[in-house]
Amino acid sequence: MSLPFRHGRMMRSGLLWSMRRFSSQSPGLADSGGASKGLCFDLSEDQQQIKEVARKFARETVLPKAAELDRTMEYPYDLIKEAWNLGLMNVHIPPELGGLGLGVVEECLSSEEIAFACSGVATAVLGNSLASMPLLVGGSDQLKKEFLGRLIAEPILAAYCVTEPGAGSDVAGIKTRSERKGKEFVINGSKMWITNAGPANWYFVLTRSNPDPKCPAGKAFTAFVVERETPGVSVGKKEINMGQRCSDTRGVSFEDVVVPESQIIGTEGAGFKLAMAAFDRTRPGVGAGAVGIAQRALEEALKYSLERKTMGTQIINHQAVSQLIADIAIGVETARLVVLKSAYEVDNGRRNTYYASIGKCLAADIANKAATDAVQVFGGAGYNTEYPVEKLIRDAKIYQIYEGTAQIQRLIIARELLARMQ
């Protein structure tokens, strides 16, 4: 596969420069040529190029390996490296750090295409976004240069360490502690269900730095960048999950891990806000991955319905089957629109919490329904591992769980609606 653009400082013209120029001017909007400044559903030329690069990579490189990766559960290092070479990773890192400086809309376009082929690979590719986003939002220039620079310099990975064995949706309930010792902090605790924990070079780690249970969350937590090789950091076994089986999920333990105060992200006590702020920028990409699964379900169901014949005709001609497929199509189109809306809002500097939760929640629900309906279209064949749709069901379920469960998204939506009424 030809590589139309690369990370870093190696290329300052052509497509890379075009995308940088575009992302700083009007993220998420196609150029209307001055005819209208209103609503536009067209992708810009740059966005279309990104989508095409991601689609070619997904369908020609990832898709042929997806079933085998699901079977072996092998981490897709080779695909990670190729995605990095193509510029499909770390697209949010700004040009001054050597990145492309693209928007969330562009990341969504890429995420959907890769998840179409294998959402486990998409999760591995997008893991850096979640880990690095708090650093982009609140990190010092030195921290950004050091740790984000690594992601640009070579195809390495980072992980977001927040969830714990006893604290998932209840982020404020985490038990991992950090205690100041002069100009250093000592971290003790355990994290669980951490994506890319095994191959990660560094971790974003959220800790409770104020032991007072009455201290509000906005002042009680401190976030750090922690090097993987820091003494006291240990990584658990690869967890065997229901779906996305090539993705790496593990526990990470911190035992008397000493971290200099220079590796605090933001300010002491402000970690919770940073951790939550990241979600507004990363949930659209997760939603886009769910749309990718739904789109795959649609295409597989439609293709099969044209091949399979019963009662003397293709099964698409049976009204019950055609309605299942139509429902999948309705879900795909509506979920994609609200996901892109949530990305467009944050790219334009507006708080998108409301739309990010709607997009992530709707897309996750649609992906699960689409995968189930696709299996129904396949009938007994759909339940068999020789066909692709049973994997879609297993892969889709996690979208209703990670980066905020479907129930948490609904709570956020309701809270945002209530705030608007007050």
Side-chain angles (χ1 to χ4, degrees), residues 314-326:
Q314 297 162 313
I315 63 172
I316 187 67
N317 295 321
H318 299 312
Q319 190 176 54
V321 173
S322 66
Q323 289 184 351
L324 283 173
I325 294 173

Side-chain angles (χ1 to χ4, degrees), residues 19 26 88 90 132 148 178 181 299 338 385 394 397 412:
M19 287 189 293
S26 55
L88 298 174
N90 313 308
S132 60
L148 299 184
S178 61
K181 300 284 188 181
E299 294 189 21
V338 73
T385 58
R394 292 187 288 106
K397 185 58 191 174
I412 294 171

Side-chain angles (χ1 to χ4, degrees), residues 297-379:
L298 174 61
E299 294 189 21
E300 293 290 354
L302 186 58
K303 178 182 176 183
Y304 187 79
S305 72
L306 292 169
E307 296 172 349
R308 171 75 167 152
K309 291 184 178 181
T310 65
M311 304 172 196
T313 188
Q314 297 162 313
I315 63 172
I316 187 67
N317 295 321
H318 299 312
Q319 190 176 54
V321 173
S322 66
Q323 289 184 351
L324 283 173
I325 294 173
D327 281 344
I328 298 174
I330 291 168
V332 169
E333 296 296 339
T334 53
R336 180 181 291 125
L337 283 174
V338 73
V339 164
L340 289 176
K341 167 69 172 177
S342 69
Y344 176 79
E345 287 294 303
V346 74
D347 278 348
N348 278 277
R350 296 190 286 266
R351 185 173 179 270
N352 74 330
T353 303
Y354 176 71
Y355 292 110
S357 287
I358 290 177
K360 197 266 184 185
C361 186
L362 177 63
D365 288 351
I366 290 298
N368 278 269
K369 184 179 185 302
T372 299
D373 286 350
V375 169
Q376 197 68 24
V377 170
F378 274 69

Side-chain angles (χ1 to χ4, degrees), residues 136-153:
L136 272 176
V137 172
S140 67
D141 290 343
Q142 183 57 40
L143 279 182
K144 291 176 184 178
K145 182 178 180 180
E146 169 65 22
F147 291 97
L148 299 184
R150 292 184 192 181
L151 304 181
I152 296 299

Side-chain angles (χ1 to χ4, degrees), residues 122-347:
T123 293
V125 168
L126 285 172
N128 280 3
S129 294
L130 181 57
S132 60
M133 201 60 71
L135 202 53
L136 272 176
V137 172
S140 67
D141 290 343
Q142 183 57 40
L143 279 182
K144 291 176 184 178
K145 182 178 180 180
E146 169 65 22
F147 291 97
L148 299 184
R150 292 184 192 181
L151 304 181
I152 296 299
E154 56 184 311
I156 62 174
L157 296 143
Y160 180 88
C161 293
V162 173
T163 300
E164 297 184 359
S169 296
D170 180 19
V171 175
I174 68 172
K175 303 299 183 184
T176 297
R177 304 276 182 172
S178 61
E179 183 180 359
R180 178 179 278 278
K181 300 284 188 181
K183 292 188 176 183
E184 297 176 328
F185 284 79
V186 179
I187 300 175
N188 282 283
S190 297
K191 302 295 183 178
M192 191 59 189
W193 311 119
I194 307 304
T195 299
N196 284 345
N201 176 266
W202 56 266
Y203 302 113
F204 166 84
V205 183
L206 186 64
T207 69
R208 187 172 191 99
S209 52
N210 189 324
D212 184 357
K214 295 181 180 180
C215 183
K219 298 180 179 180
F221 298 89
T222 300
F224 299 88
V225 177
V226 179
E227 299 261 17
R228 163 67 183 271
E229 299 304 322
T230 304
V233 175
S234 59
V235 180
K237 65 179 180 64
K238 174 183 169 70
E239 298 295 331
I240 309 303
N241 294 327
M242 171 183 172
Q244 298 195 357
R245 293 162 72 90
C246 69
S247 176
D248 185 271
T249 307
R250 301 171 189 254
V252 183
S253 296
F254 303 87
E255 185 176 355
D256 293 329
V257 174
V258 178
V259 180
E261 64 179 2
S262 61
Q263 287 179 213
I264 292 176
I265 302 175
T267 58
E268 189 174 347
F272 184 83
K273 293 178 181 178
L274 285 171
M276 295 301 100
F279 286 137
D280 284 352
R281 294 176 175 272
T282 58
R283 278 176 178 152
V286 174
V291 173
I293 286 182
Q295 179 67 40
R296 176 75 181 281
L298 174 61
E299 294 189 21
E300 293 290 354
L302 186 58
K303 178 182 176 183
Y304 187 79
S305 72
L306 292 169
E307 296 172 349
R308 171 75 167 152
K309 291 184 178 181
T310 65
M311 304 172 196
T313 188
Q314 297 162 313
I315 63 172
I316 187 67
N317 295 321
H318 299 312
Q319 190 176 54
V321 173
S322 66
Q323 289 184 351
L324 283 173
I325 294 173
D327 281 344
I328 298 174
I330 291 168
V332 169
E333 296 296 339
T334 53
R336 180 181 291 125
L337 283 174
V338 73
V339 164
L340 289 176
K341 167 69 172 177
S342 69
Y344 176 79
E345 287 294 303
V346 74
D347 278 348

